[in-house]
Amino acid sequence: MFEASLMDRQARVDKLQIAALLGLMGIGGLFVYSATMVSESAQAAALYDQSWFRQIVWYGLGIGAAAVVCIIDYRSLSRWSYILYSLTILLLVAVLIPGIGTTHGWGARRWIDLGFFQFQPSEFAKLAFIAAQANFLSRPADELRVPMIFFKALGLMALPFLLIMKEPDLGSALVLVPTGIAMMFVAGIPRRYLVNLGVAVGLLGALFLVDVLFMPSNWQIKLEDYQKRRLWVYFGKGYSPSEGAPQAEIDRLRKQQFDDSHNVRQALISVGSGGLTGKGWREGTQNALGYLPRSVAHNDFIFSVIAEEKGFVGSVIVIALYGVVLFCGLRTAGQARDRLGKILAAGVVALLFSHVFINIGMNIRLMPVTGVPLPLLSYGGSSVLCSLIAIGILQNIYMYRKTY
C-alpha cells in the first residue's frame, strides 16, 4: 500500500518544471566550467578544488534536500516554520559577530566559515521568511483586515531585512520586499494597506537615492563606499572632487570611476559581442583574457559568459527555462487546495523571479550591481541548495494538490 502511494506521488510530480530545472543545472555546470577553466593553474588544481565539480556536488546535495522536502506534507513542514525563522534570525545575528562571520575580503560580513562550506545565512533566511510568512498569513481572511495583523506581517519581513542590510548585503535584503508584498497580496491583505505600503516604499526609495546621489557626504545615509560607488556608476554620476582639488586628486577619481564601472562595462561587451549564436563554448574572449574579471565571471556575471559564448539564442533559452519554472510555480499556486499552499507557492515564485530579474538586469545594466546570484547558474553552495529546496517546496505543493 505504501509503495502504491509512493508511486502515485511520483506520477504526480510536475515533470515540466523538473525538465526545465535539469536544463538549467546542465547549463550551469557547463558554463561554470567554461568560466573557471581558463587558466593553467585552474586546470592543474585537484578535482575537488575546481568550482565546476563543487557546483555539481551542490546540485546533487540540493536534489537530495529537495527530495526530502517533497516527502513530507508541506502543512506538516509549516508547523516548524517559526522555529526555522527564529534559527535563521539567530544566524543572521551571529554572522555579524567578528570571529564568527567572515568577509572573504569583500568588505561585507556575510559568511560563516565551516571549513568545507562557506555558509551564507541570508540565503536560508529568505526561505525561512517565506515559510513563516505563509504560515502567518494563512489565517482566516477576516483576520487579515485587522491593522495589527498587517503590521506583524511587516515585522516578519523587516527583521531579516534589517539584519541582512547590516552585513551589508543590499541585494539579498531587497529581494525580501517584493517577495513579502506578493505574499500579502495573494493572501488577501486589504488593497489600501498594500497601496499605502507601496507609496511609502517608493517615497523612501526616492529619498534614499536623492540622499546618495546629491547630498553632501556628511549628510548621507551611512553606506559602504563600494555600495555608493555602485549606485553612482548605475546612475552615471561623476565622481566629483572637492572644490579646488589638485589635478592628482581629479585624475585619481577619474581612474577610480573607470575601474568601478569596469565589471558592468565588460559584462555589456560580453553580452553584445555574442551576436546571434555566440562564439562557442569555451571560446569567449572576454572571460578568457580576463576583461570580465574571473573572480565574478562564474557567479554574479555567469549570464554574460553564456551570452558571449551562446549568443542571443542561448540567452533566450536560459530565460525561457526560467519562464517555464516560474509558470509552473504560478500554476501550482493556482491549483493549491488551501491558502497555505497558495501563499507559500506565490512566495517562492516571487523570490525566484526577483533573483532572475535583478541578476540578468545587472548584466545588461537595467539594474545596479548588487551581488544577487542567478538561481542554479551562479556558482555557490548556499544559493544552489536554497534554490533547489525552493523548487522542492513547489513540487511538494503540486504533489499534494489533490489531497485536500
Side-chain angles (χ1 to χ4, degrees):
M1 181 175 178
F2 174 78
E3 291 181 357
S5 176
L6 183 60
M7 289 298 293
D8 183 52
R9 290 181 190 174
Q10 288 175 344
R12 292 193 284 118
V13 297
D14 192 340
K15 295 179 181 178
L16 180 60
Q17 187 176 67
I18 290 175
L21 191 72
L22 292 174
L24 287 170
M25 287 191 290
I27 292 171
L30 286 172
F31 284 93
V32 169
Y33 183 96
S34 178
T36 55
M37 301 297 284
V38 293
S39 65
E40 293 183 2
S41 59
Q43 295 174 11
L47 184 63
Y48 58 83
D49 277 334
Q50 294 179 4
S51 298
W52 66 270
F53 179 76
R54 292 187 177 186
Q55 186 82 336
I56 291 173
V57 171
W58 291 124
Y59 286 150
L61 293 174
I63 290 171
V68 170
V69 170
C70 285
I71 291 172
I72 307 170
D73 185 343
Y74 66 90
R75 299 208 302 187
S76 299
L77 290 173
S78 71
R79 297 180 190 134
W80 297 85
S81 61
Y82 294 139
I83 295 175
L84 293 174
Y85 178 84
S86 300
L87 287 174
T88 56
I89 293 299
L90 291 176
L91 289 170
L92 290 175
V93 173
V95 80
L96 300 175
I97 302 172
I100 298 178
T102 59
T103 64
H104 294 294
W106 292 99
R109 198 176 298 278
R110 302 176 185 174
W111 298 272
I112 296 176
D113 191 348
L114 301 179
F116 65 95
F117 177 41
Q118 304 301 322
F119 177 71
Q120 191 171 359
S122 60
E123 292 294 325
F124 293 89
K126 298 170 191 175
L127 290 182
F129 159 69
I130 289 173
Q133 187 78 301
N135 193 8
F136 181 77
L137 293 173
S138 61
R139 62 187 62 233
D142 289 343
E143 293 184 25
L144 297 176
R145 300 191 183 97
V146 179
M148 187 53 64
I149 297 297
F150 172 66
F151 289 118
K152 287 181 179 179
L154 282 183
L156 280 173
M157 180 172 65
L159 184 55
F161 176 89
L162 294 173
L163 288 172
I164 294 171
M165 282 290 290
K166 185 66 177 174
E167 295 180 2
D169 187 353
L170 179 62
S172 292
L174 287 179
V175 298
L176 293 175
V177 177
T179 302
I181 292 175
M183 294 178 73
M184 286 188 278
F185 175 78
V186 171
I189 290 286
R191 186 167 296 181
R192 66 180 183 278
Y193 294 167
L194 297 179
V195 170
N196 291 337
L197 175 61
V199 171
V201 169
L203 287 174
L204 288 174
L207 290 173
F208 171 78
L209 291 177
V210 168
D211 179 77
V212 171
L213 297 176
F214 302 110
M215 291 297 177
S217 58
N218 57 334
W219 287 18
Q220 289 180 356
I221 297 171
K222 186 177 179 181
L223 289 175
E224 296 292 330
D225 284 341
Y226 75 90
Q227 291 179 318
K228 292 180 184 177
R229 295 200 300 269
R230 283 177 174 179
L231 290 172
W232 291 347
V233 166
Y234 175 71
F235 287 100
K237 181 180 184 296
Y239 289 18
S240 303
S242 57
E243 188 175 350
Q247 186 62 40
E249 176 66 9
I250 295 174
D251 292 340
R252 185 191 68 81
L253 288 174
R254 285 176 178 170
K255 183 180 184 305
Q256 185 175 46
Q257 183 172 10
F258 182 84
D259 292 342
D260 289 343
S261 62
H262 178 81
N263 288 4
V264 173
R265 188 170 58 253
Q266 296 303 325
L268 279 173
I269 293 172
S270 297
V271 173
S273 65
L276 181 62
T277 58
K279 301 174 182 177
W281 184 59
R282 300 195 67 196
E283 297 297 327
T285 54
Q286 287 292 106
N287 177 49
L289 298 178
Y291 293 114
L292 187 64
R294 292 169 186 172
S295 60
V296 296
H298 62 306
N299 43 53
D300 292 351
F301 291 96
I302 190 70
F303 184 78
S304 296
V305 176
I306 296 170
E308 182 183 14
E309 297 185 2
K310 289 300 176 183
F312 178 76
V313 172
S315 302
V316 169
I317 289 172
V318 168
I319 294 172
L321 289 173
Y322 279 123
V324 170
V325 171
L326 296 173
F327 168 78
C328 291
L330 289 174
R331 182 179 63 183
T332 297
Q335 293 178 348
R337 295 296 179 85
D338 61 0
R339 287 170 49 76
L340 174 63
K342 183 178 181 180
I343 299 167
L344 192 57
V348 170
V349 170
L351 178 68
L352 293 175
F353 173 79
S354 298
H355 271 258
V356 172
F357 181 83
I358 291 173
N359 183 277
I360 294 179
M362 75 185 191
N363 274 262
I364 57 177
R365 207 171 178 177
L366 288 178
M367 299 290 289
V369 176
T370 56
V372 173
L374 191 57
L376 300 175
L377 295 188
S378 294
Y379 172 77
S382 296
S383 173
V384 168
L385 285 176
C386 289
S387 296
L388 287 169
I389 291 171
I391 297 297
I393 292 171
L394 289 178
Q395 287 289 330
N396 188 310
I397 298 168
Y398 184 86
M399 288 166 60
Y400 285 95
R401 71 195 186 282
K402 294 181 180 179
T403 305
Y404 307 108

